[in-house]
Amino acid sequence: MRKLFSGEPIHAANIDRDAAERREVRAAVARFLIAGFAALLLVAIPVSFWVRAEAERHALANARDITQRLADNVVGPLITEQLLARDPAAVKLLDQRLAPWLAESGVLRIKVWDEQGCVVYSDVESLIGQDFEQEEWARELLEGGPATATFETQTGEENEFEANSGELVEVYARSASQNGAPMIFETYSSGDGVRLEQQAVLMGMVPPMALSLAVLQLTQLVPAVRLARRMQVHQAARNAMLRCAIEASDQERRQIASELHDEVIQDLSGLAYALESEERRGPLELQPVFVNARTMLQNNIRTLRAMTSELYPPDLEELGLQASLTRLEAPLVERGIDLTVEIPDKLVLDRDRAVLLYRVAREALVNVSKHSSAQSVGIRVWQAGQRTQLTVSDDGVGFNPSEPRTEGHFGLRILGDTIRQAGGTFEVRSAPGAGTSVTAAFGVAAPALRFAGRHLAAKSSSRDSAVLKAT
């Protein structure tokens, strides 16, 4: 079992505390940076998608404009009666006019439809003359609706020659033949242009946005570090106050116990011997009186010695927590209560937490001895990482925690307030006939880091005064 103190110099413990405080500050700054980076991602990801969508919308709008101009200025005037009659010369003429577009503009396929859904022209000669069912959007376009553009993979019946080209920009624009008949002019273009425009817009917007957020993060980091350092100073001050308060409380308890042991108990012991002597030499009719007085006096001496042990317990630094807890068994044995102590072999605790845990166990066992009528009680100390938990559970009569506390539970209430203000948790679970369980736990930070020592000193003094009055 690990001792609470292993002979290391006091300044080494102070160095450890300082190192722990610095680690806590660094951890707080690291958490701040991580939170800022997460916020940056939360902002940047949706903005990136929005930028991509806007770039795609812009590229499709450009494709519609270009296709509409091509339909109005190039294709429309060449949709003659000869072309509609599939005259090879008219088809060849339109091929020649559209060849530059097919070669330079990224247009992969061109189709011209009439009102009945017949392909009257295409750069793929085998499509000319084929009929396809017209959809609702085609009828709206023929009636004067706006041009449409989509960016998707082509899987329709009429897309036999485009199905394996990946994502394409498909544009439908309204046109008219020389005789005024409405026509649909359709083009398919490579999607590379859309992707390049999206990438260009992203590369143009994301860096300044990321730089702005990074500058904001760094600007907030400076006051965050200063705040963490101020917190460190205040925590160190509270730590020192609590250590002083605990030391003052221990000193006061030691002085009271010493006075009881060296003066009151010694005087009462001498009086007991004197009564025993008078009992042997005195008149026979007074012997019962001397016997009763001596018995009462010896019982009071035992009670005072038990109080002395409670006021100033075994030295935790010398015995360790487990041995100190085991020494609490004597009052329980007198009442026929079995005590079991379960504690890890490698238990790492600072002195402040060890003292508080010991006091919780001691106060809980006092209540078990006086009020629980239990047959057995167990103490279990559990530690995971830097979280330490102590549980004292018995199989006694229990009580209803919602009812007002009796005077016997006053010490637990004081300890509960102390531990909660020290940054830990304290819980009492009980029910009539179901026993009682008292649990105290501390997290990563030592109790002293978040506790006002003066309050502890006041409560400790109150506790000692209550014990003195009880004597």
Side-chain angles (χ1 to χ4, degrees):
M1 183 193 69
R2 176 185 174 94
K3 298 285 187 180
L4 293 177
F5 298 87
S6 57
E8 296 177 356
I10 295 178
H11 69 83
N14 294 332
I15 292 175
D16 291 340
R17 286 193 181 94
D18 294 340
E21 291 170 358
R22 286 193 295 271
R23 285 195 298 270
E24 185 176 355
V25 171
R26 288 196 294 269
V29 173
R31 288 193 296 270
F32 176 81
L33 291 176
I34 292 173
F37 181 72
L40 177 62
L41 290 180
L42 289 176
V43 173
I45 291 175
V47 168
S48 298
F49 282 108
W50 174 78
V51 170
R52 283 173 57 85
E54 286 298 307
E56 181 177 323
R57 186 188 63 80
H58 185 264
L60 294 179
N62 288 340
R64 282 197 305 270
D65 295 340
I66 293 172
T67 302
Q68 189 64 60
R69 287 196 298 269
L70 180 62
D72 295 338
N73 300 324
V74 178
V75 178
L78 295 178
I79 304 177
T80 61
E81 294 293 340
Q82 292 80 5
L83 182 69
L84 296 175
R86 303 174 191 170
D87 181 15
V91 173
K92 184 177 180 180
L93 177 61
L94 191 52
D95 284 339
Q96 292 174 351
R97 293 292 182 88
L98 293 176
W101 288 90
L102 292 170
E104 300 175 3
S105 64
V107 176
L108 302 178
R109 188 76 62 242
I110 291 177
K111 300 175 186 176
V112 179
W113 308 68
D114 63 11
E115 292 179 285
Q116 287 73 40
C118 178
V119 178
V120 299
Y121 172 79
S122 175
D123 59 304
V124 178
E125 187 175 355
S126 61
L127 289 175
I128 298 176
Q130 292 190 28
D131 294 319
F132 298 95
E133 183 180 356
Q134 290 280 33
E135 298 180 6
E136 181 63 27
W137 62 265
R139 289 190 289 272
E140 293 178 358
L141 181 61
L142 290 170
E143 292 173 0
T148 61
T150 59
F151 183 47
E152 59 188 2
T153 301
Q154 306 302 317
T155 59
E157 182 182 358
E158 74 278 10
N159 301 121
E160 175 185 357
F161 297 96
E162 299 86 37
N164 298 323
S165 300
E167 290 183 311
L168 297 176
V169 178
E170 181 183 21
V171 182
Y172 291 94
R174 187 177 183 277
S175 185
S177 64
Q178 282 188 348
N179 59 12
M183 311 292 291
I184 295 179
F185 179 54
E186 179 185 10
T187 64
Y188 294 93
S189 304
S190 171
D192 294 341
V194 175
R195 295 304 183 201
L196 289 175
E197 184 166 353
Q198 287 178 328
Q199 184 177 359
V201 173
L202 278 174
M203 291 300 101
M205 293 186 63
V206 170
M209 180 186 68
L211 180 61
S212 300
L213 293 175
V215 170
L216 177 62
Q217 181 75 5
L218 291 176
T219 303
Q220 294 176 338
L221 179 61
V222 174
V225 172
R226 291 178 179 174
L227 178 61
R229 288 177 176 172
R230 286 199 298 269
M231 290 175 60
Q232 181 183 9
V233 172
H234 293 311
Q235 288 174 349
R238 290 185 176 186
N239 187 17
M241 290 174 62
L242 181 58
R243 287 197 298 270
C244 292
I246 291 178
E247 291 173 0
S249 175
D250 289 344
Q251 178 65 28
E252 184 179 4
R253 288 170 178 267
R254 185 184 297 111
Q255 182 178 355
I256 295 174
S258 176
E259 291 177 357
L260 285 175
H261 182 271
D262 296 340
E263 297 180 10
V264 178
I265 294 178
Q266 297 299 326
D267 292 343
L268 292 178
S269 297
L271 181 58
Y273 288 125
L275 287 175
E276 185 177 2
S277 175
E278 291 296 326
E279 177 186 341
R280 289 195 300 267
R281 294 183 304 175
L284 292 178
E285 63 272 14
L286 294 180
Q287 284 187 356
V289 176
F290 287 118
V291 170
N292 291 334
R294 180 171 55 81
T295 302
M296 293 176 58
L297 192 57
Q298 289 173 342
N299 290 335
N300 288 332
I301 291 173
R302 282 194 294 269
T303 300
L304 284 175
R305 283 176 175 168
M307 288 183 178
T308 301
S309 178
E310 288 185 9
L311 280 172
Y312 188 65
D315 195 343
L316 292 174
E317 298 180 12
E318 296 296 331
L319 299 177
L321 184 60
Q322 183 171 15
S324 299
L325 293 176
T326 304
R327 284 200 173 192
L328 298 174
E329 184 179 14
L332 300 173
V333 172
E334 294 178 359
R335 297 177 181 266
I337 302 175
D338 294 330
L339 173 65
T340 58
V341 178
E342 182 181 346
I343 187 169
D345 292 333
K346 296 181 179 179
L347 183 66
V348 180
L349 278 178
D350 59 31
R351 181 179 182 278
D352 298 340
R353 278 191 284 192
V355 169
L356 288 178
L357 290 181
Y358 176 84
R359 290 179 180 176
V360 170
R362 184 186 63 193
E363 190 66 39
L365 292 180
V366 168
N367 286 334
V368 170
S369 175
K370 293 180 179 179
H371 308 290
S372 71
S373 300
Q375 299 297 318
S376 63
V377 60
I379 300 176
R380 180 176 183 266
V381 179
W382 171 81
Q383 192 171 57
Q386 294 184 348
R387 178 175 176 81
T388 304
Q389 177 176 302
L390 177 140
T391 301
V392 181
S393 55
D394 66 68
D395 58 358
V397 296
F399 63 96
N400 187 353
S402 62
E403 294 180 354
R405 296 287 180 89
T406 62
E407 185 178 357
H409 299 289
F410 185 69
L412 279 180
R413 185 177 64 183
I414 292 177
L415 279 174
D417 293 341
T418 299
I419 290 173
R420 278 187 287 268
Q421 293 178 22
T425 59
F426 184 82
E427 183 180 18
V428 178
R429 292 185 178 181
S430 186
T436 303
S437 176
V438 178
T439 301
F442 295 105
V444 175
L449 296 180
R450 292 189 298 272
F451 183 67
R454 183 172 57 186
H455 193 66
L456 175 63
K459 289 188 177 293
S460 299
S461 298
S462 299
R463 168 62 179 163
D464 297 341
S465 298
V467 173
L468 283 177
K469 291 179 180 178
T471 62

